[in-house]
């Protein structure tokens, strides 16, 4: 399959900004990459929007730009010309584009320094960001149960959140409701339970949709590391060694067992 210039630009953006997702996409079949790269490029653009300026109003405008672009995909048929929006319009149904609007909206939390209000607020943030991104990625590829994708997305989202916690704190954010060892362990355990629930329903995710879940290939390892040694979160020590990281992704892609 030949990738057009837009898909290549999306792939290059993901490669620069999100190496793990780039690796996961490259482990997918070539046809799936053409779907995943625009979605992952959107994730890069939205994730960095709150951090490229200290002006909250400008950050809000950047996120609104993406919401407006997604609304154009929902309504059709005319969509603005953009190296990410244009290929997105070819791979998203109106329903999935509307789901991504929810994902962009929840990322407003990243702009400000307010802590999460409670566990329900925190869980909603993870579910509507990481969970929704997983739902859209999976269902853009093929048939997949939304609840299974959300469970898996929540678990992988928590794993990534724990890895990012030191940097978020350095930027003045309060990423965890309870950053004590006990609080970290409880969060990791909750995520592991969601992961196991997703895995118990593997059959509800079709083979075509499966490559979307490759992005969570490190999830169990990270969550178990945080559970057994919660101090690794604050120390920023939740990264796998390069050999283990590559081998575990190869195994996930070869077996299809996420």
């Amino acid at each position: 399959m030949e990738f057009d210039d837009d898909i290549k630009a999306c792939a290059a953006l993901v490669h620069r900004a999100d190496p793990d997702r780039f690796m996961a996409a490259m482990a997918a079949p070539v046809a799936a990459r053409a779907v995943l790269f625009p979605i992952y490029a959107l994730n890069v653009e939205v994730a960095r929007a709150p951090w490229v300026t200290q002006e909250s109003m400008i950050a809000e405008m950047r996120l609104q730009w993406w919401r407006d672009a997604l609304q154009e995909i929902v309504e059709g048929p005319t969509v603005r010309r953009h190296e990410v929006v244009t290929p997105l319009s070819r791979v998203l149904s109106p329903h999935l584009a509307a789901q991504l609007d929810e994902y962009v909206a929840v990322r407003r939390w990243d702009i400000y320094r307010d802590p999460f209000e409670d566990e329900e607020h925190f869980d909603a943030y993870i579910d509507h960001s990481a969970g929704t991104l997983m739902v859209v990625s999976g269902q853009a590829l093929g048939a997949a149960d939304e609840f299974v994708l959300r469970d898996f997305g929540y678990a992988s989202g928590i794993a990534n959140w724990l890895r990012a916690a030191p940097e978020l704190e350095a930027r003045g954010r309060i990423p965890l409701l309870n950053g004590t060892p006990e609080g970290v362990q409880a969060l990791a355990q909750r995520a592991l339970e969601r992961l196991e629930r997703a895995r118990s329903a593997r059959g509800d995710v079709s083979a075509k949709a499966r490559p979307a879940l490759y992005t969570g290939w490190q999830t169990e390892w990270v969550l178990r590391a945080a559970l057994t040694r919660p101090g690794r979160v604050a120390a920023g020590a939740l990264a796998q060694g390069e050999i283990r990281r590559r081998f575990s992704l190869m195994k996930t892609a070869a077996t299809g067992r996420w």
Side-chain angles (χ1 to χ4, degrees), residues 133-145:
L133 189 67
M134 188 64 70
V135 170
V136 172
S137 301
Q139 293 188 345
L141 289 176
D145 182 85

Side-chain angles (χ1 to χ4, degrees), residues 33-179:
R33 296 176 203 168
V35 175
L36 294 174
F37 276 133
I39 297 172
Y40 294 164
L42 169 73
N43 179 60
V44 169
E45 294 283 14
V46 170
R48 71 185 183 183
W51 306 104
V52 296
T53 176
Q54 295 185 13
E55 297 293 333
S56 59
M57 185 60 69
I58 295 176
E60 290 268 15
M61 291 171 63
R62 286 177 178 270
L63 291 183
Q64 187 60 49
W65 189 94
W66 286 102
R67 297 189 70 184
D68 292 344
L70 288 167
Q71 188 61 32
E72 290 173 5
I73 296 175
V74 171
E75 296 175 353
T78 304
V79 177
R80 66 191 63 186
R81 171 73 193 122
H82 184 270
E83 65 182 15
V84 177
V85 178
T86 301
L88 266 180
S89 70
R90 297 197 295 263
V91 302
L92 294 180
S93 67
H95 170 70
L96 293 180
Q99 292 260 59
L100 279 178
D101 177 72
E102 171 188 86
Y103 152 82
V104 178
V106 80
R107 299 305 294 263
R108 291 184 64 249
W109 182 89
D110 301 349
I111 298 173
Y112 303 101
R113 296 174 184 267
D114 299 328
F116 291 105
E117 298 170 6
D118 50 30
E119 187 174 295
E120 182 179 0
H121 183 203
F122 175 80
D123 281 355
Y125 174 87
I126 298 297
D127 182 55
H128 293 314
S129 54
T132 295
L133 189 67
M134 188 64 70
V135 170
V136 172
S137 301
Q139 293 188 345
L141 289 176
D145 182 85
E146 178 173 345
F147 293 105
V148 176
L149 293 175
R150 284 202 180 276
D151 278 342
F152 189 80
Y154 178 91
S156 62
I158 293 297
N160 290 334
W161 194 252
L162 291 174
R163 292 173 63 187
E167 181 180 357
L168 289 169
E169 289 182 346
R171 294 188 178 208
R173 304 305 190 267
I174 305 173
L176 300 175
L177 286 166
N178 183 352

